[in-house]
Amino acid sequence: VLTMPFRVKHAQGKGLMHGGAITALADTAVDMAIKSLLPEGSHFVTMEMTLKFHAPIHGGTVKSVAEAVREDERTIRGTAEVFDDNGIKAAAFTSVFRIKRR
């Protein structure tokens, strides 16, 4: 679980949280989940990501709940859901990561 406060600098023109900020929060939450699975010092990169928006975020503290599942020796799939301050799901994130060879 990773949280981020809504700031005006994270807003788009209508005052809603910008999609890029939401994506960064979800991607970073998945990164932290992956780090909990791998040995310290492991290197991995995002190969693919998608984000589906469900509701706008107007303010407050934004929360991302992430999970990472190792598919094989070098592939990890990540998911995250992003919620607004009222617990409303604002976005769903999916991703594929690749672990660097040793």
Side-chain angles (χ1 to χ4, degrees):
V1 176
L2 189 64
T3 62
M4 179 172 116
F6 179 90
R7 301 277 189 249
V8 173
K9 66 182 177 181
H10 301 142
Q12 43 85 302
K14 294 279 187 182
L16 305 174
M17 189 168 212
H18 188 275
I22 294 169
T23 303
L25 174 64
D27 186 40
T28 303
V30 171
D31 287 350
M32 297 299 110
I34 291 170
K35 285 183 177 190
S36 75
L37 298 175
L38 300 177
E40 190 173 327
S42 296
H43 298 284
F44 55 92
V45 295
T46 308
M47 299 295 291
E48 176 182 321
M49 69 169 69
T50 61
L51 186 80
K52 293 183 181 180
F53 295 101
H54 299 286
I57 297 174
H58 302 277
T61 300
V62 185
K63 178 172 75 172
S64 181
V65 180
E67 179 178 65
V69 177
R70 196 162 186 168
E71 287 195 341
D72 59 38
E73 186 177 313
R74 295 189 57 220
T75 306
I76 297 178
R77 288 204 178 267
T79 59
E81 293 183 323
V82 179
F83 300 91
D84 72 6
D85 220 11
N86 297 314
I88 296 170
K89 184 163 87 170
F93 177 83
T94 59
S95 54
V96 177
F97 291 80
R98 194 75 159 162
I99 303 166
K100 182 180 177 182
R101 287 193 177 113
R102 295 179 186 199

